[in-house]
Amino acid sequence: MGIWQVMIEAFRAMGMNRLRAGLTMLGIIIGVGAVVLMLAIGESVRGDINQRITAMGSNLFIVFPGSSTANGVRAGRGAAQTLTQADAQALAGIENVEYSAPIIQQPFQVAAGNNNWNAMVYGVTPEYFSIKAWDTEAGSLFGDIEMRSLSRVAVLGRTTAQNLFGDMNPVGQTVRIRNKPFEVIGVLADKGSDLGGGDQDDAVFVPLATARQQVIRTWFPGSVNLIMVQAARADRMKDVEQDIVQTLRIRHRIREDQEDDFTVRDLSAIAEAAQGIATMLTLLLGAIGSISLVVGGIGIMNIMLVSVTERTREIGIRMAIGAKRRDVLLQFLTEAVVICVCGGAIGIALAYAGGLAVSRFSPLAVEISSFAIAIAFSFSAMVGVFFGFYPARRAAGLKPVEALRYE
Amino acid sequence: MPDPAMSAQPKSDPHPLIRMQAIRKSYFSGDIETPVLHGIDLTIERGEFVAIMGQSGSGKSTLMNILGCLDTPTSGTFNLDGAEAAQLSDNDLAAVRNRTIGFVFQGFNLLKRMPLVDNVALPLLYAGVSMREARERAMKKLALTGLGTFGKRLPNQISGGQQQRVAISRALVCDPALILADEPTGNLDTTTSQEIMELFTRLNREQRITILIVTHEPDVARYATRLVRLKDGLVTYDGPVAGAHF
Ligand SMILES: Nc1ncnc2c1ncn2[C@@H]1O[C@H](COP(=O)(O)OP(=O)(O)O)[C@@H](O)[C@H]1O
Ligand SMILES: [Mg+2]
């Protein structure tokens, strides 16, 4: 008997007991739907994290003052406790370092006209924008000229610009920080939230020298809050990190037996950890989905066993008119696979709808890939074969005369 | 597929259609043996029309099941159409049931949810014939038994006599050499029984199909030409129907 004929018979058998076929299918629908949707959600979380990592800047170190000792207490060590702008310059000279950007920061109530808004004000050098690969969507960034001339210019993040100016174009307008007027020369492109969930667009950037002289009070002249260092190559991160530590220890005159008075954090390591967590999350969600798929498969097996028992006489009749064991095996196996594949198709459709719903009502953009669909489809067929095989073999193993006698 | 013209062989054929020697059959439940057939010798030539009679429990169905390759004897040799049944594999036996034998049951044994034409076509599908051709041939066999216009109906939409005709169409569809019918008229009234027996007679005369039929009723047995009587698993009479007293 051809496979096509066997399929027709399988559909006919399903049609004979629609409620049962439907309920059996429900297990597979839920299982496949769960696997596909869970994997898609996991994938989208991972994509989201990747995007944030890229936005953060690649091959990045953050150097901040104070040591990170085992008990977490940052021990002060005299005058060398703080990082300085000179340190940043020294770090820029290290081999394989692309940029070194010193940063000072302080939150202020920033005013524009009658509006005011609490934002973090950063004093940065032009290198900062290079490291973050961050450009303006309107106006321009400040450069070395503005740095040297102590210009009172500011570049706004999207969120801050929105809150201070609404729909108006802020470029050319004035914002007041500590009652000092700054001319807005640019608005930055949307950057989104950072790994910790903070809004990177809620910020005001001014030239470092201007900030130091006119708004932000630092620990002592020349000190900075942190230094961002970008390595030129990903495979040189370890060397660069060692060189940073060495350079700073020498500059801060730290003796052999003393601890660092600064901390170097490799952001790519953090990014890797975050990606690892996202992968784990995807696996976990996939595992949860798979469990429901297995439960659905056991449901199939259960129903197929009942069906084989109920149709013992039919099997006997088929054998009496010439069905080989293989024909009977194929018939029941096909029924299980047809149920699973139909259930799988519906499950995929539901997962698709679920994905649309999640995308709509959460910040995640869930997308069901055709790869996931192909996997889910073949997986459900495999579930059918796996869980259909035992009942089908039971049917095929019946003795014709005994099957015929069954009432 | 046997050519109907070839089925009419003289009695001296070295390969009779059926040759059974010393067939014994016991049923076992656990260690307890229930012997049912105690050594049956039976030779049936092509083209014969044989009635098997005997009291209930005498082993008629057991014998038919062995003849139909649905069951295997405990001992003895059974040669069907020149082949030793004991040496055939499961697949070979299925092929024999498919092509050489047509089975007709007391309870009709049609598949309930299938249209009649598909019921009749099913053996052809197992023989590897395409759906379209199988349906065409099935319709011909339905026409042969007088049900040419009933193809699309379901088994529960026709009478018992008609269902048995469908079952006979199904038994005929692969052009078998042998039809085995275990009490085919057992569930039918007298008139319908007569119609069914006339159909068997016609098939035997016109198509030279060998027919074995189990029955309780002398009136049914009289359609046959040879009578085999069983008692407690042994053959007690084997001879022409004419002259046998019932
Ligand atoms: N599967 C079986 N297991 C045990 N005993 C059986 C089985 N089938 C038939 N028998 C017994 O074998 C004897 C013959 O049965 P059967 O061949 O059906 O007789 P008949 O068809 O002549 O009425 C009966 O006594 C019956 O109880
Ligand atoms: Mg019987």
Side-chain angles (χ1 to χ4, degrees), chain A residues 1-2 5 9 12 16 313-314 317-325 327 331 400-401 404-405, chain B residues 27 65 70-71 90-91 94 97-98 105 109-111 113-115 118 122-123 125-126 131 170:
Chain A
M1 189 180 284
Q5 191 53 39
E9 291 223 12
R12 179 143 53 189
M16 273 166 359
R313 197 176 175 79
E314 176 194 327
I317 295 170
R318 285 174 183 272
M319 285 177 159
I321 61 173
K324 296 183 166 67
R325 296 199 182 286
D327 293 319
Q331 181 189 342
V401 68
L404 271 172
R405 198 182 296 122
Chain B
Y27 291 108
N65 288 338
L70 294 168
D71 205 354
D90 276 353
N91 277 352
R97 291 195 293 266
N98 188 227
F105 304 89
N109 274 346
L110 299 176
L111 296 185
R113 280 92 167 191
M114 258 192 208
D118 288 352
L122 200 52
L125 297 180
Y126 285 124
M131 185 69 197
R170 183 178 66 187

Side-chain angles (χ1 to χ4, degrees), chain A residues 405, chain B residues 27-28 34 36 54-63 182-183:
Chain A
R405 198 182 296 122
Chain B
Y27 291 108
F28 293 90
T34 317
V36 175
Q55 282 171 344
S56 191
S58 57
K60 305 180 297 294
S61 293
T62 304
L63 179 63
D182 193 350
E183 305 197 35

Side-chain angles (χ1 to χ4, degrees), chain A residues 64 66-75 259-260 262-265:
Chain A
F64 47 88
S67 64
S68 55
T69 50
N71 55 18
V73 177
R74 287 181 185 169
E259 282 182 27
D260 298 344
F262 56 88
T263 303
V264 181
R265 189 150 290 169

